[in-house]
Amino acid sequence: MSDSLEQTQQKLWQAITQAIRQHNGLPFSEFMRAALYQPGCGYYSAGLKKLGQDGDFITAVELGSMFAQTLARQFAEVIEMVSDPVIMELGAGSGRFCADVLTALDDMDKNGRYVPDCYLILEVSADLKQQQQQHIDTLPTHLSNRVKWLDTPPKQPFNGVIFANEVLDALPVEVFRHNNNEYQRLVLQLQNGQLVEHWHTFPADLLTQLKAKELSLPDGYRSEFIPYLNNWMAGITAPLHQGLVLFVDYGYGRDVYYHPERHTGTLVCHQRHQANFNPYHDVGAQDITAFVDFTAVAEALKAADCEVVGFNHQMDLLMGLGVENIISAEGDYSNYYAQATELKQLMMPNEMGEKFKCIAALKNLNMTLSGFKNNRLHNL
């Protein structure tokens, strides 16, 4: 019998408090890692309903098939350019994107020209992996047989596409404060059974990463950064010999991310479709995220020998790929209305259209990407 939510949270709390006592404090990045990914009891590991109307948040993927159908057109352009194509998706959620993309690629050409030889899902959550397998099992055998799950990036090189939607925002972040011309690191301690914030000196390697951003911040400014992002990116992209790396997430270029008015940072939590700004509330039962510094992502891609070729809004990407042509006015009106509603949510500036950004990099490949006709690389 599986544990109740209360039992799961109790196990997580015990793991966090034990780590604090063992190390005389816990950096926020390690707290966030435990809260989200602690085996068996972290938010993404404990079997909670996370996605969709019954979960805590809805992604572009869960709105319907339109997002995946449109991006399949971008993937097809790359697949045409490489041999033995493979798609690798990071953090595949419910598995719907994988299923919808494979279906769309299969529909583009019944000769199988656009269907990748293999679709790899890199997934750290055993619970989500199980959900994904159930979704993939609904596909025709000639498509479902191509899907394979990985715990770590493949050792064998491949050509094709690396894709991630709303993965970067869930990477654990360091929280810092700029005080008296120095950077201080947020470390959590226990006081009367409660988590209390303290400020410590940064280790030399993390301080070097932070100073490399060359920020000019007022006194008391608080924000975040992803530690060792270059190492993470190098590990993810190392197997890609030739192809495209595409990330979609919410965030900004560095100048906007660390704007003086954004002095309290970008951390946000999601629970039952409500946002809050208290990561210490209901630990293990709510998502914890931070907006993405896309300039840092671009730097990490370049350090990993990838050429950053595109940065734009989600609405730019989808328009460049002809998302409007997917809607069909023929047939059932209710289906047309559902598609029109989905399109609005994906595209409108006050919905996902401008909040979500897309960054594309090519590796050992020279081509034009239709999704980046309207390019905003200058914003990085």
Side-chain angles (χ1 to χ4, degrees):
M1 188 173 74
S2 60
D3 290 340
S4 66
L5 175 58
E6 183 178 351
Q7 290 171 319
T8 300
Q9 286 184 281
Q10 189 174 25
K11 288 181 180 179
L12 177 60
W13 180 251
Q14 289 172 349
I16 290 172
T17 54
Q18 182 180 4
I20 291 175
R21 294 188 180 102
Q22 282 181 342
H23 303 287
N24 193 28
L26 195 65
F28 185 87
S29 58
E30 293 304 316
F31 162 77
M32 184 173 171
R33 188 184 312 279
L36 296 181
Y37 304 111
Q38 183 75 16
C41 51
Y43 178 78
Y44 284 107
S45 309
L48 299 174
K49 178 69 175 178
K50 305 162 187 70
L51 303 169
Q53 296 291 350
D54 298 328
D56 294 317
F57 54 89
I58 294 180
T59 68
V61 173
E62 303 302 325
L63 290 174
S65 300
M66 193 173 294
F67 182 74
Q69 286 177 323
T70 309
L71 263 64
R73 298 178 175 187
Q74 187 64 87
F75 295 175
E77 290 181 357
V78 177
I79 286 171
E80 277 194 302
M81 298 285 290
V82 301
S83 60
D84 306 317
V86 170
I87 295 174
M88 182 171 77
E89 184 182 358
L90 316 181
S94 69
R96 177 167 186 171
F97 182 84
C98 170
D100 288 345
V101 160
L102 286 175
T103 300
L105 290 170
D106 193 40
D107 288 343
M108 285 183 193
D109 185 345
K110 289 303 181 182
N111 294 323
R113 183 165 54 130
Y114 295 121
V115 178
D117 292 358
C118 186
Y119 194 113
L120 304 175
I121 294 179
L122 183 59
E123 183 58 70
V124 299
S125 168
D127 167 57
L128 286 174
K129 179 180 177 181
Q130 187 176 20
Q131 292 183 43
Q132 292 157 11
Q133 288 173 326
Q134 292 173 352
H135 214 129
I136 302 308
D137 285 345
T138 64
L139 290 172
T141 305
H142 75 283
L143 296 179
S144 63
N145 285 347
R146 298 171 191 260
V147 183
K148 295 179 173 57
W149 280 264
L150 302 173
D151 298 320
T152 58
K155 292 182 170 54
Q156 291 296 113
F158 67 86
N159 302 324
V161 176
I162 296 175
F163 173 73
N165 181 61
E166 292 199 53
V167 168
L168 296 173
D169 66 81
L171 295 180
V173 294
E174 289 283 344
V175 176
F176 70 87
R177 181 175 70 176
H178 188 249
N179 196 49
N180 294 327
N181 292 319
E182 292 183 348
Y183 288 114
Q184 298 174 320
R185 184 190 200 188
L186 179 60
V187 176
L188 301 176
Q189 302 279 5
L190 281 173
Q191 184 175 315
N192 299 324
Q194 300 294 319
L195 294 173
V196 179
E197 296 186 346
H198 286 262
W199 297 98
H200 289 213
T201 303
F202 265 105
D205 57 341
L206 289 177
L207 185 59
T208 298
Q209 293 177 43
L210 185 50
K211 285 187 173 181
K213 298 179 183 294
E214 298 182 346
L215 306 176
S216 179
L217 303 175
D219 213 37
Y221 193 95
R222 173 174 171 150
S223 194
E224 314 85 28
F225 70 98
I226 301 172
Y228 310 109
L229 179 59
N230 283 18
N231 294 351
W232 181 86
M233 190 68 74
I236 291 298
T237 60
L240 184 67
H241 171 67
Q242 185 182 41
L244 166 70
V245 184
L246 178 62
F247 294 113
V248 180
D249 223 310
Y250 46 88
Y252 316 98
R254 180 165 295 154
D255 289 347
V256 179
Y257 191 97
Y258 295 109
H259 191 277
E261 292 183 359
R262 194 167 283 106
H263 57 89
T264 59
T266 71
L267 278 172
V268 62
C269 306
H270 301 279
Q271 189 174 37
R272 294 290 179 262
H273 300 282
Q274 296 293 318
N276 73 80
F277 305 97
N278 183 3
Y280 314 124
H281 166 74
D282 229 358
V283 180
Q286 65 170 354
D287 192 20
I288 306 173
T289 71
F291 278 57
V292 177
D293 171 5
F294 277 101
T295 304
V297 175
E299 292 168 349
L301 284 164
K302 292 173 186 175
D305 295 324
C306 299
E307 180 190 2
V308 179
V309 296
F311 178 66
N312 61 14
H313 296 153
Q314 179 173 290
M315 64 180 184
D316 297 325
L317 177 75
L318 299 180
M319 285 180 66
L321 294 168
V323 64
E324 70 280 2
N325 299 323
I326 291 176
I327 291 186
S328 174
E330 299 178 1
D332 183 57
Y333 176 77
S334 61
N335 182 58
Y336 173 76
Y337 180 78
Q339 285 187 314
T341 302
E342 181 183 351
L343 182 64
K344 176 184 175 183
Q345 290 176 281
L346 291 172
M347 299 287 287
M348 293 295 288
N350 61 337
E351 297 274 358
M352 294 182 175
E354 287 189 357
K355 177 182 178 181
F356 283 81
K357 313 297 192 303
C358 315
I359 189 168
L362 295 173
K363 190 173 183 182
N364 300 321
L365 187 61
N366 183 18
M367 65 176 295
T368 300
L369 300 172
S370 294
F372 291 86
K373 294 169 185 173
N374 187 12
N375 211 331
R376 301 174 190 264
L377 269 176
H378 61 276
N379 289 340
L380 291 179

